[in-house]
């Protein structure tokens, strides 16, 4: 997939992670900086039905509570923010259908590993986007980018 620095972090993250999770695994939803929610699989979740839950978790992550979690009829939701050092902050939600707090806690090691992988992927997407913008605008790395002072 070619780099596209003009795409938002949420869009690039969703592009990379779609198909990454198994069909019967967690449902991934991202919230972009403008407040739009995008599921990785539109057939598996009705975002509007979960919006209130997502909004509450998003507010918790903005307050520094991460990962933020909530039990809701039909599943357990875990949220975390990525890209906080740029304007394009994205909140990632993992919806664990059929999970209770007990089953989520029992599997927390695996869940945390998945969240860490998502953070690493997000970091790499940010860096590749920054590198592409740098190169697109004629940036050079090293001494050759500094004008010569020789007379």
């Amino acid at each position: 997939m070619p780099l596209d620095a003009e795409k938002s972090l949420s869009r690039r993250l969703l592009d990379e992670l779609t198909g990454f999770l198994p069909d019967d695994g967690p449902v991934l939803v991202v919230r972009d900086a403008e407040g739009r929610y995008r599921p990785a699989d539109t057939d598996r979740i009705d975002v509007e039905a979960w919006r209130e839950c997502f909004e509450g978790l998003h507010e918790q992550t903005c307050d520094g509570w991460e990962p933020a979690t909530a039990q809701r009829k039909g599943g357990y939701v875990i949220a975390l923010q990525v890209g906080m050092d740029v304007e394009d902050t994205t909140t990632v939600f993992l919806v664990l259908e059929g999970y209770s707090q007990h089953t989520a806690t029992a599997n927390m090691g695996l869940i945390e590993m998945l969240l860490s992988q998502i953070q690493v992927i997000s970091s790499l997407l940010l860096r590749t986007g920054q590198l592409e913008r740098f190169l697109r605008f004629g940036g050079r790395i090293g001494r050759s980018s500094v004008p010569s002072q020789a007379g």
Side-chain angles (χ1 to χ4, degrees):
M1 168 185 283
L3 297 176
D4 188 351
E6 300 306 314
K7 275 188 179 179
S8 68
L9 173 61
S10 62
R11 177 56 47 219
R12 289 184 294 148
L13 187 60
L14 197 58
D15 287 349
E16 287 298 320
L17 294 177
T18 298
F20 174 71
L21 298 171
D23 291 340
D24 60 348
V27 178
L28 180 77
V29 178
V30 297
R31 181 189 190 275
D32 65 19
E34 287 80 39
R36 291 181 299 241
Y37 292 91
R38 293 186 174 112
D41 186 347
T42 56
D43 294 333
R44 290 192 55 205
I45 190 166
D46 176 8
V47 171
E48 289 304 314
W50 289 78
R51 181 176 292 276
E52 187 176 331
C53 180
F54 292 157
E55 287 293 328
L57 290 172
H58 171 72
E59 289 175 19
Q60 288 179 19
T61 62
C62 288
D63 291 340
W65 186 316
E66 287 191 310
T69 62
Q71 176 71 53
R72 186 172 182 276
K73 183 179 180 180
Y76 196 74
V77 185
I78 302 170
L80 111 127
Q81 280 193 344
V82 295
M84 293 184 294
D85 55 338
V86 295
E87 292 178 14
D88 190 14
T89 300
T90 297
T91 305
V92 176
F93 302 92
L94 283 179
V95 180
L96 306 168
E97 296 175 305
Y99 274 53
S100 66
Q101 183 174 0
H102 177 73
T103 54
T105 301
N107 291 294
M108 195 51 72
L110 292 172
I111 293 167
E112 287 178 353
M113 186 171 51
L114 178 58
L115 294 174
S116 293
Q117 289 175 341
I118 291 171
Q119 286 177 319
V120 167
I121 291 167
S122 173
S123 177
L124 291 172
L125 289 172
L126 283 171
R127 289 179 189 198
T128 55
Q130 290 166 348
L131 178 60
E132 184 193 42
R133 281 190 297 278
F134 178 75
L135 294 174
R136 181 184 305 150
F137 294 110
R140 294 189 180 100
I141 299 173
R143 293 183 183 263
S144 63
S145 64
V146 179
S148 173
Q149 296 286 329

